[in-house]
Amino acid sequence: MAVTDEAIQKIKGMIVSGALRPGDRLPKESELAAALGLSRNSLREAVRALSLIRILDVRQGDGTYVTSLDPQLLLEALGFVVDFHRDDTALEFLAVRRILEPAATAMAASRITEAELDALDGRLEALGDEPSVEELVAADLEFHRTIVTSAGNAVLSSLLDGLSGPTTRAGVWRGLTREDAVGRTLDEHRAILAALRDRDAEAARSWATAHVAGVERWLRSTSAALG
C-alpha cells in the first residue's frame, strides 16, 4: 500500500505542477513507470485509485487521460463516500449543511433569474397542499439544488449535492413521523422564494437556516429519545 501511495503522490505531483494538464494523455505505462521510478504494478494500482476519484479517465484501447478536474466531477466522490455514513452521524452532515446552504441561498438572491423563480413557483404549486412524503422530499432536494446552483459557485454546489444523502433520509424520517412536516416544509419554501424575489439576501439566509435547523432539531430530539 505504501508503494501505491508513493505512486499516487508522484502522479498527483505531475498534475499539480502542470506537467500534466486537464485533458492530457499520460505517457505509456512503461515509459511513465520508468520516469517516475515505479514498478508497472504500483503505477497500475495508482491509476486505478485515481480513476475512482475522477482524477484520471482510463479509456479502454485508447489510453489514460487527466480528466477536466472540474469541481463537480471531482466532488462526485464525496457523495459516494457520504452514502456510507452511519445514522448517528446524520446530525453532523446536517450541521454542515446548515452552515453552507444558507450562505449559498443568500448568494443566490442577487443571481437567480425571474425565470428560475417562476419555475420553482410552478413546481411548488404543482405539488399541491398534500404531497406524499416521497414527493415532498424529492421536491425539496430539487428546490434547494436549483437555488444553490444559481448561486454561481460550482464547488459550493457540488459540496451540498454530495451531502444530500443523509439529509434526504432525515427528511423522509421526519415526514413520516411528524404531522406538521409537510405543511411546514411548503411554508418555508414559499418564504425562501419570497425573499429571493425581493432580492433580500439576509431574509433568504434566515429562512434557509430555519429550514435546515428544523430538520436538525427534530433529528436531535428523536435521537435523544431513542438513546
mmCIF file with all atom_site columns, all heavy atoms in Angstrom, residues 163-181:
data_model
loop_
_atom_site.group_PDB
_atom_site.id
_atom_site.type_symbol
_atom_site.label_atom_id
_atom_site.label_alt_id
_atom_site.label_comp_id
_atom_site.label_asym_id
_atom_site.label_entity_id
_atom_site.label_seq_id
_atom_site.pdbx_PDB_ins_code
_atom_site.Cartn_x
_atom_site.Cartn_y
_atom_site.Cartn_z
_atom_site.occupancy
_atom_site.B_iso_or_equiv
_atom_site.pdbx_formal_charge
_atom_site.auth_seq_id
_atom_site.auth_comp_id
_atom_site.auth_asym_id
_atom_site.auth_atom_id
_atom_site.pdbx_PDB_model_num
ATOM 1   N N   . LEU A 1 163 ? -23.724 16.163 0.045  1.00 0.00 ? 163 LEU A N   1
ATOM 2   C CA  . LEU A 1 163 ? -24.266 15.984 1.398  1.00 0.00 ? 163 LEU A CA  1
ATOM 3   C C   . LEU A 1 163 ? -25.741 15.604 1.401  1.00 0.00 ? 163 LEU A C   1
ATOM 4   O O   . LEU A 1 163 ? -26.344 15.457 2.461  1.00 0.00 ? 163 LEU A O   1
ATOM 5   C CB  . LEU A 1 163 ? -24.090 17.282 2.204  1.00 0.00 ? 163 LEU A CB  1
ATOM 6   C CG  . LEU A 1 163 ? -22.656 17.686 2.554  1.00 0.00 ? 163 LEU A CG  1
ATOM 7   C CD1 . LEU A 1 163 ? -22.639 19.102 3.109  1.00 0.00 ? 163 LEU A CD1 1
ATOM 8   C CD2 . LEU A 1 163 ? -22.052 16.716 3.565  1.00 0.00 ? 163 LEU A CD2 1
ATOM 9   N N   . SER A 1 164 ? -26.330 15.474 0.227  1.00 0.00 ? 164 SER A N   1
ATOM 10  C CA  . SER A 1 164 ? -27.783 15.307 0.150  1.00 0.00 ? 164 SER A CA  1
ATOM 11  C C   . SER A 1 164 ? -28.277 13.956 0.658  1.00 0.00 ? 164 SER A C   1
ATOM 12  O O   . SER A 1 164 ? -29.408 13.844 1.109  1.00 0.00 ? 164 SER A O   1
ATOM 13  C CB  . SER A 1 164 ? -28.263 15.511 -1.294 1.00 0.00 ? 164 SER A CB  1
ATOM 14  O OG  . SER A 1 164 ? -27.748 14.496 -2.150 1.00 0.00 ? 164 SER A OG  1
ATOM 15  N N   . GLY A 1 165 ? -27.427 12.914 0.617  1.00 0.00 ? 165 GLY A N   1
ATOM 16  C CA  . GLY A 1 165 ? -27.874 11.581 1.001  1.00 0.00 ? 165 GLY A CA  1
ATOM 17  C C   . GLY A 1 165 ? -28.447 11.493 2.408  1.00 0.00 ? 165 GLY A C   1
ATOM 18  O O   . GLY A 1 165 ? -29.639 11.213 2.597  1.00 0.00 ? 165 GLY A O   1
ATOM 19  N N   . PRO A 1 166 ? -27.646 11.749 3.437  1.00 0.00 ? 166 PRO A N   1
ATOM 20  C CA  . PRO A 1 166 ? -28.164 11.633 4.812  1.00 0.00 ? 166 PRO A CA  1
ATOM 21  C C   . PRO A 1 166 ? -29.224 12.671 5.142  1.00 0.00 ? 166 PRO A C   1
ATOM 22  O O   . PRO A 1 166 ? -30.131 12.389 5.923  1.00 0.00 ? 166 PRO A O   1
ATOM 23  C CB  . PRO A 1 166 ? -26.912 11.826 5.690  1.00 0.00 ? 166 PRO A CB  1
ATOM 24  C CG  . PRO A 1 166 ? -25.912 12.488 4.802  1.00 0.00 ? 166 PRO A CG  1
ATOM 25  C CD  . PRO A 1 166 ? -26.199 12.003 3.416  1.00 0.00 ? 166 PRO A CD  1
ATOM 26  N N   . THR A 1 167 ? -29.123 13.872 4.555  1.00 0.00 ? 167 THR A N   1
ATOM 27  C CA  . THR A 1 167 ? -30.127 14.881 4.872  1.00 0.00 ? 167 THR A CA  1
ATOM 28  C C   . THR A 1 167 ? -31.462 14.529 4.225  1.00 0.00 ? 167 THR A C   1
ATOM 29  O O   . THR A 1 167 ? -32.522 14.823 4.769  1.00 0.00 ? 167 THR A O   1
ATOM 30  C CB  . THR A 1 167 ? -29.669 16.281 4.420  1.00 0.00 ? 167 THR A CB  1
ATOM 31  O OG1 . THR A 1 167 ? -29.387 16.276 3.024  1.00 0.00 ? 167 THR A OG1 1
ATOM 32  C CG2 . THR A 1 167 ? -28.416 16.703 5.162  1.00 0.00 ? 167 THR A CG2 1
ATOM 33  N N   . THR A 1 168 ? -31.412 13.872 3.072  1.00 0.00 ? 168 THR A N   1
ATOM 34  C CA  . THR A 1 168 ? -32.650 13.414 2.430  1.00 0.00 ? 168 THR A CA  1
ATOM 35  C C   . THR A 1 168 ? -33.311 12.333 3.272  1.00 0.00 ? 168 THR A C   1
ATOM 36  O O   . THR A 1 168 ? -34.526 12.341 3.488  1.00 0.00 ? 168 THR A O   1
ATOM 37  C CB  . THR A 1 168 ? -32.353 12.873 1.019  1.00 0.00 ? 168 THR A CB  1
ATOM 38  O OG1 . THR A 1 168 ? -31.845 13.936 0.209  1.00 0.00 ? 168 THR A OG1 1
ATOM 39  C CG2 . THR A 1 168 ? -33.622 12.327 0.369  1.00 0.00 ? 168 THR A CG2 1
ATOM 40  N N   . ARG A 1 169 ? -32.524 11.400 3.774  1.00 0.00 ? 169 ARG A N   1
ATOM 41  C CA  . ARG A 1 169 ? -33.074 10.337 4.622  1.00 0.00 ? 169 ARG A CA  1
ATOM 42  C C   . ARG A 1 169 ? -33.693 10.915 5.884  1.00 0.00 ? 169 ARG A C   1
ATOM 43  O O   . ARG A 1 169 ? -34.761 10.482 6.321  1.00 0.00 ? 169 ARG A O   1
ATOM 44  C CB  . ARG A 1 169 ? -31.974 9.339  4.984  1.00 0.00 ? 169 ARG A CB  1
ATOM 45  C CG  . ARG A 1 169 ? -31.601 8.418  3.848  1.00 0.00 ? 169 ARG A CG  1
ATOM 46  C CD  . ARG A 1 169 ? -30.488 7.480  4.236  1.00 0.00 ? 169 ARG A CD  1
ATOM 47  N NE  . ARG A 1 169 ? -30.865 6.626  5.347  1.00 0.00 ? 169 ARG A NE  1
ATOM 48  C CZ  . ARG A 1 169 ? -30.007 5.782  5.930  1.00 0.00 ? 169 ARG A CZ  1
ATOM 49  N NH1 . ARG A 1 169 ? -28.764 5.714  5.519  1.00 0.00 ? 169 ARG A NH1 1
ATOM 50  N NH2 . ARG A 1 169 ? -30.414 5.021  6.930  1.00 0.00 ? 169 ARG A NH2 1
ATOM 51  N N   . ALA A 1 170 ? -33.035 11.913 6.457  1.00 0.00 ? 170 ALA A N   1
ATOM 52  C CA  . ALA A 1 170 ? -33.587 12.551 7.658  1.00 0.00 ? 170 ALA A CA  1
ATOM 53  C C   . ALA A 1 170 ? -34.925 13.211 7.337  1.00 0.00 ? 170 ALA A C   1
ATOM 54  O O   . ALA A 1 170 ? -35.861 13.172 8.144  1.00 0.00 ? 170 ALA A O   1
ATOM 55  C CB  . ALA A 1 170 ? -32.602 13.586 8.203  1.00 0.00 ? 170 ALA A CB  1
ATOM 56  N N   . GLY A 1 171 ? -35.028 13.804 6.149  1.00 0.00 ? 171 GLY A N   1
ATOM 57  C CA  . GLY A 1 171 ? -36.287 14.424 5.742  1.00 0.00 ? 171 GLY A CA  1
ATOM 58  C C   . GLY A 1 171 ? -37.406 13.411 5.615  1.00 0.00 ? 171 GLY A C   1
ATOM 59  O O   . GLY A 1 171 ? -38.557 13.683 5.971  1.00 0.00 ? 171 GLY A O   1
ATOM 60  N N   . VAL A 1 172 ? -37.077 12.233 5.099  1.00 0.00 ? 172 VAL A N   1
ATOM 61  C CA  . VAL A 1 172 ? -38.091 11.169 4.975  1.00 0.00 ? 172 VAL A CA  1
ATOM 62  C C   . VAL A 1 172 ? -38.554 10.729 6.360  1.00 0.00 ? 172 VAL A C   1
ATOM 63  O O   . VAL A 1 172 ? -39.750 10.608 6.619  1.00 0.00 ? 172 VAL A O   1
ATOM 64  C CB  . VAL A 1 172 ? -37.513 9.955  4.202  1.00 0.00 ? 172 VAL A CB  1
ATOM 65  C CG1 . VAL A 1 172 ? -38.496 8.790  4.251  1.00 0.00 ? 172 VAL A CG1 1
ATOM 66  C CG2 . VAL A 1 172 ? -37.229 10.338 2.756  1.00 0.00 ? 172 VAL A CG2 1
ATOM 67  N N   . TRP A 1 173 ? -37.602 10.500 7.267  1.00 0.00 ? 173 TRP A N   1
ATOM 68  C CA  . TRP A 1 173 ? -37.969 10.081 8.636  1.00 0.00 ? 173 TRP A CA  1
ATOM 69  C C   . TRP A 1 173 ? -38.877 11.121 9.271  1.00 0.00 ? 173 TRP A C   1
ATOM 70  O O   . TRP A 1 173 ? -39.879 10.786 9.896  1.00 0.00 ? 173 TRP A O   1
ATOM 71  C CB  . TRP A 1 173 ? -36.718 9.930  9.497  1.00 0.00 ? 173 TRP A CB  1
ATOM 72  C CG  . TRP A 1 173 ? -35.748 8.904  9.044  1.00 0.00 ? 173 TRP A CG  1
ATOM 73  C CD1 . TRP A 1 173 ? -36.008 7.806  8.267  1.00 0.00 ? 173 TRP A CD1 1
ATOM 74  C CD2 . TRP A 1 173 ? -34.346 8.874  9.321  1.00 0.00 ? 173 TRP A CD2 1
ATOM 75  N NE1 . TRP A 1 173 ? -34.859 7.102  8.044  1.00 0.00 ? 173 TRP A NE1 1
ATOM 76  C CE2 . TRP A 1 173 ? -33.827 7.726  8.676  1.00 0.00 ? 173 TRP A CE2 1
ATOM 77  C CE3 . TRP A 1 173 ? -33.492 9.695  10.040 1.00 0.00 ? 173 TRP A CE3 1
ATOM 78  C CZ2 . TRP A 1 173 ? -32.468 7.396  8.751  1.00 0.00 ? 173 TRP A CZ2 1
ATOM 79  C CZ3 . TRP A 1 173 ? -32.151 9.363  10.109 1.00 0.00 ? 173 TRP A CZ3 1
ATOM 80  C CH2 . TRP A 1 173 ? -31.648 8.225  9.468  1.00 0.00 ? 173 TRP A CH2 1
ATOM 81  N N   . ARG A 1 174 ? -38.500 12.387 9.127  1.00 0.00 ? 174 ARG A N   1
ATOM 82  C CA  . ARG A 1 174 ? -39.274 13.465 9.757  1.00 0.00 ? 174 ARG A CA  1
ATOM 83  C C   . ARG A 1 174 ? -40.680 13.517 9.168  1.00 0.00 ? 174 ARG A C   1
ATOM 84  O O   . ARG A 1 174 ? -41.677 13.642 9.883  1.00 0.00 ? 174 ARG A O   1
ATOM 85  C CB  . ARG A 1 174 ? -38.552 14.798 9.539  1.00 0.00 ? 174 ARG A CB  1
ATOM 86  C CG  . ARG A 1 174 ? -39.255 16.014 10.145 1.00 0.00 ? 174 ARG A CG  1
ATOM 87  C CD  . ARG A 1 174 ? -38.418 17.240 9.819  1.00 0.00 ? 174 ARG A CD  1
ATOM 88  N NE  . ARG A 1 174 ? -38.943 18.451 10.414 1.00 0.00 ? 174 ARG A NE  1
ATOM 89  C CZ  . ARG A 1 174 ? -39.223 19.553 9.728  1.00 0.00 ? 174 ARG A CZ  1
ATOM 90  N NH1 . ARG A 1 174 ? -39.061 19.568 8.416  1.00 0.00 ? 174 ARG A NH1 1
ATOM 91  N NH2 . ARG A 1 174 ? -39.661 20.626 10.334 1.00 0.00 ? 174 ARG A NH2 1
ATOM 92  N N   . GLY A 1 175 ? -40.770 13.399 7.840  1.00 0.00 ? 175 GLY A N   1
ATOM 93  C CA  . GLY A 1 175 ? -42.062 13.478 7.180  1.00 0.00 ? 175 GLY A CA  1
ATOM 94  C C   . GLY A 1 175 ? -42.993 12.340 7.557  1.00 0.00 ? 175 GLY A C   1
ATOM 95  O O   . GLY A 1 175 ? -44.216 12.506 7.621  1.00 0.00 ? 175 GLY A O   1
ATOM 96  N N   . LEU A 1 176 ? -42.405 11.172 7.831  1.00 0.00 ? 176 LEU A N   1
ATOM 97  C CA  . LEU A 1 176 ? -43.223 10.011 8.185  1.00 0.00 ? 176 LEU A CA  1
ATOM 98  C C   . LEU A 1 176 ? -43.703 10.053 9.631  1.00 0.00 ? 176 LEU A C   1
ATOM 99  O O   . LEU A 1 176 ? -44.670 9.400  9.979  1.00 0.00 ? 176 LEU A O   1
ATOM 100 C CB  . LEU A 1 176 ? -42.412 8.726  7.954  1.00 0.00 ? 176 LEU A CB  1
ATOM 101 C CG  . LEU A 1 176 ? -42.159 8.339  6.489  1.00 0.00 ? 176 LEU A CG  1
ATOM 102 C CD1 . LEU A 1 176 ? -41.185 7.168  6.423  1.00 0.00 ? 176 LEU A CD1 1
ATOM 103 C CD2 . LEU A 1 176 ? -43.456 8.003  5.768  1.00 0.00 ? 176 LEU A CD2 1
ATOM 104 N N   . THR A 1 177 ? -43.014 10.822 10.474 1.00 0.00 ? 177 THR A N   1
ATOM 105 C CA  . THR A 1 177 ? -43.323 10.770 11.901 1.00 0.00 ? 177 THR A CA  1
ATOM 106 C C   . THR A 1 177 ? -43.856 12.070 12.486 1.00 0.00 ? 177 THR A C   1
ATOM 107 O O   . THR A 1 177 ? -44.367 12.069 13.595 1.00 0.00 ? 177 THR A O   1
ATOM 108 C CB  . THR A 1 177 ? -42.071 10.361 12.702 1.00 0.00 ? 177 THR A CB  1
ATOM 109 O OG1 . THR A 1 177 ? -41.033 11.336 12.469 1.00 0.00 ? 177 THR A OG1 1
ATOM 110 C CG2 . THR A 1 177 ? -41.561 8.994  12.283 1.00 0.00 ? 177 THR A CG2 1
ATOM 111 N N   . ARG A 1 178 ? -43.725 13.169 11.752 1.00 0.00 ? 178 ARG A N   1
ATOM 112 C CA  . ARG A 1 178 ? -44.182 14.445 12.302 1.00 0.00 ? 178 ARG A CA  1
ATOM 113 C C   . ARG A 1 178 ? -45.334 14.990 11.471 1.00 0.00 ? 178 ARG A C   1
ATOM 114 O O   . ARG A 1 178 ? -45.194 15.226 10.263 1.00 0.00 ? 178 ARG A O   1
ATOM 115 C CB  . ARG A 1 178 ? -43.019 15.443 12.322 1.00 0.00 ? 178 ARG A CB  1
ATOM 116 C CG  . ARG A 1 178 ? -43.400 16.765 12.933 1.00 0.00 ? 178 ARG A CG  1
ATOM 117 C CD  . ARG A 1 178 ? -42.180 17.590 13.261 1.00 0.00 ? 178 ARG A CD  1
ATOM 118 N NE  . ARG A 1 178 ? -42.576 18.896 13.758 1.00 0.00 ? 178 ARG A NE  1
ATOM 119 C CZ  . ARG A 1 178 ? -41.744 19.757 14.323 1.00 0.00 ? 178 ARG A CZ  1
ATOM 120 N NH1 . ARG A 1 178 ? -40.469 19.444 14.464 1.00 0.00 ? 178 ARG A NH1 1
ATOM 121 N NH2 . ARG A 1 178 ? -42.173 20.925 14.745 1.00 0.00 ? 178 ARG A NH2 1
ATOM 122 N N   . GLU A 1 179 ? -46.448 15.208 12.105 1.00 0.00 ? 179 GLU A N   1
ATOM 123 C CA  . GLU A 1 179 ? -47.673 15.555 11.373 1.00 0.00 ? 179 GLU A CA  1
ATOM 124 C C   . GLU A 1 179 ? -47.568 16.870 10.609 1.00 0.00 ? 179 GLU A C   1
ATOM 125 O O   . GLU A 1 179 ? -48.131 17.005 9.531  1.00 0.00 ? 179 GLU A O   1
ATOM 126 C CB  . GLU A 1 179 ? -48.856 15.631 12.354 1.00 0.00 ? 179 GLU A CB  1
ATOM 127 C CG  . GLU A 1 179 ? -49.256 14.266 12.909 1.00 0.00 ? 179 GLU A CG  1
ATOM 128 C CD  . GLU A 1 179 ? -50.459 14.375 13.829 1.00 0.00 ? 179 GLU A CD  1
ATOM 129 O OE1 . GLU A 1 179 ? -51.027 15.486 13.930 1.00 0.00 ? 179 GLU A OE1 1
ATOM 130 O OE2 . GLU A 1 179 ? -50.841 13.369 14.434 1.00 0.00 ? 179 GLU A OE2 1
ATOM 131 N N   . ASP A 1 180 ? -46.863 17.863 11.164 1.00 0.00 ? 180 ASP A N   1
ATOM 132 C CA  . ASP A 1 180 ? -46.836 19.166 10.512 1.00 0.00 ? 180 ASP A CA  1
ATOM 133 C C   . ASP A 1 180 ? -45.670 19.334 9.546  1.00 0.00 ? 180 ASP A C   1
ATOM 134 O O   . ASP A 1 180 ? -45.431 20.421 9.026  1.00 0.00 ? 180 ASP A O   1
ATOM 135 C CB  . ASP A 1 180 ? -46.763 20.279 11.564 1.00 0.00 ? 180 ASP A CB  1
ATOM 136 C CG  . ASP A 1 180 ? -45.445 20.256 12.342 1.00 0.00 ? 180 ASP A CG  1
ATOM 137 O OD1 . ASP A 1 180 ? -44.770 19.205 12.336 1.00 0.00 ? 180 ASP A OD1 1
ATOM 138 O OD2 . ASP A 1 180 ? -45.103 21.288 12.942 1.00 0.00 ? 180 ASP A OD2 1
ATOM 139 N N   . ALA A 1 181 ? -44.918 18.238 9.277  1.00 0.00 ? 181 ALA A N   1
ATOM 140 C CA  . ALA A 1 181 ? -43.707 18.351 8.464  1.00 0.00 ? 181 ALA A CA  1
ATOM 141 C C   . ALA A 1 181 ? -43.997 18.830 7.052  1.00 0.00 ? 181 ALA A C   1
ATOM 142 O O   . ALA A 1 181 ? -43.283 19.675 6.508  1.00 0.00 ? 181 ALA A O   1
ATOM 143 C CB  . ALA A 1 181 ? -42.978 17.011 8.428  1.00 0.00 ? 181 ALA A CB  1
#
